[in-house]
Amino acid sequence: MQTAPAPIALTMGDPAGIGPEIALKCWAHHRQSLCPGFVFFGSAELLEQEANRLNCKIPIERIQDLSRARNIFPEALPVLDIPLHSPSLPGTPDSRNGTAVIAAIEQAHAAVTAGQASALVTNPIHKDSLYACGFAYPGHTEYLAALSSSEHPPVMMLASERLRVVPVTIHIPLREVPGKLSRAAILHAAEVTHQALLSDFSIKSPRLAVAGLNPHAGESGAMGTEEIETLLPAVKTLRERGLCIEEPQSADSLFHEQARSTYDAVICMYHDQALIPIKTLDFDKAVNVTLGLSIVRTSPDHGTAFNIAGQGKANPSSLLAALEMATSMAYARSQSSVPPHHD
């Protein structure tokens, strides 16, 4: 007899942001299609206040046993209550609530690790508020890697139905990108991506494309030598290791419809090279996926949006896509004979 899948663990993110609002909207409008549903890790009182502000009669049920969540979800939003230390005002981050934000991440991660939840979805956080209470990580991804005891850095993928992109370098100035690109970094990003496409996306024979760093992929060295010195040797090694991967191509012709039909993911060299095309194609439905962890983790691809918090204007589409993708990935991983690539 097959065991019913566990629910998704959804963190509250910054309580002054749009996380609580979009969580409520996902439950209110999509609970019939979200199976096995999700558990909100965060303040139940915050959700109740936000529901009142939205003038929505959404039943909220505090739980301690996650095994009850699947049965509760169709009728009420299950919450593993993590009280705030200070009342939260929409749009006004408060560092006094940072410990509750961190606790939500820790407890949700622990639930997934223990098998009580099938995947982790994180609402956006405000890092400055967390730094004020001793948070020592650049963001969610690095903190989750530490919680998972990963020896190597995880890999960030942005994914939608139309495109998957993986930047090799992420949050660094553009002038530093050439110096940070290395054969080892490209090998790591490509191999983790390849493994995730097999185990988490059920793609039997993944095809990878590589975006060149320079215009026209360097044009045989006339516009830069990084392709010759770094990218091509990395591609050669990856092919020797059995990956289906193309030589570096000019980024300006990699993202139109016909080109997208030839690959399953693109390895990009820097942040905007990856994020501009996917946000242009699917701004409201792009999902941030962390590859290389022992658990499945996704996140909506937007920030806290303090400027519209508490106004009922927040679009839940990216969170809904993150929940659906996490569910699909967790199922694919449970069915796969290929172990995920993690440390």
Side-chain angles (χ1 to χ4, degrees), residues 150-221:
S150 296
E151 294 181 8
H152 298 287
V155 170
M156 182 176 83
M157 171 186 279
L158 278 297
S160 73
E161 291 184 358
R162 297 182 179 185
L163 180 65
R164 300 182 191 93
V165 289
V166 172
V168 176
T169 64
I170 306 176
H171 297 129
I172 60 173
L174 189 58
R175 66 179 177 273
E176 295 180 11
V177 169
K180 294 293 185 182
L181 278 177
S182 67
R183 177 175 170 272
I186 295 168
L187 292 177
H188 177 66
E191 290 184 318
V192 171
T193 301
H194 171 82
Q195 203 76 359
L197 292 173
L198 287 168
S199 63
D200 297 344
F201 292 90
S202 299
I203 297 173
K204 293 182 179 179
S205 301
R207 303 162 301 164
L208 297 179
V210 177
L213 173 66
N214 297 297
H216 301 175
E219 208 166 79
S220 301

Side-chain angles (χ1 to χ4, degrees), residues 121-264:
V121 177
T122 56
N123 264 315
I125 56 175
H126 183 242
K127 287 176 280 190
D128 285 347
S129 297
L130 302 187
Y131 295 153
C133 62
F135 189 70
Y137 301 90
H140 264 128
T141 302
E142 295 81 3
Y143 186 44
L144 292 170
L147 290 175
S148 301
S149 300
S150 296
E151 294 181 8
H152 298 287
V155 170
M156 182 176 83
M157 171 186 279
L158 278 297
S160 73
E161 291 184 358
R162 297 182 179 185
L163 180 65
R164 300 182 191 93
V165 289
V166 172
V168 176
T169 64
I170 306 176
H171 297 129
I172 60 173
L174 189 58
R175 66 179 177 273
E176 295 180 11
V177 169
K180 294 293 185 182
L181 278 177
S182 67
R183 177 175 170 272
I186 295 168
L187 292 177
H188 177 66
E191 290 184 318
V192 171
T193 301
H194 171 82
Q195 203 76 359
L197 292 173
L198 287 168
S199 63
D200 297 344
F201 292 90
S202 299
I203 297 173
K204 293 182 179 179
S205 301
R207 303 162 301 164
L208 297 179
V210 177
L213 173 66
N214 297 297
H216 301 175
E219 208 166 79
S220 301
M223 296 186 184
T225 60
E226 287 84 2
E227 285 77 13
I228 295 171
E229 296 170 352
T230 305
L231 276 66
L232 279 169
V235 167
K236 181 176 182 293
T237 298
L238 290 164
R239 286 177 171 174
E240 290 171 351
R241 294 178 181 179
L243 273 68
C244 178
I245 185 166
E246 295 297 320
E247 293 187 356
Q249 301 175 54
S250 180
D252 64 6
S253 59
L254 255 182
F255 299 105
H256 60 83
E257 185 175 2
Q258 184 177 352
R260 296 199 307 273
S261 69
T262 66
Y263 56 74
D264 300 300

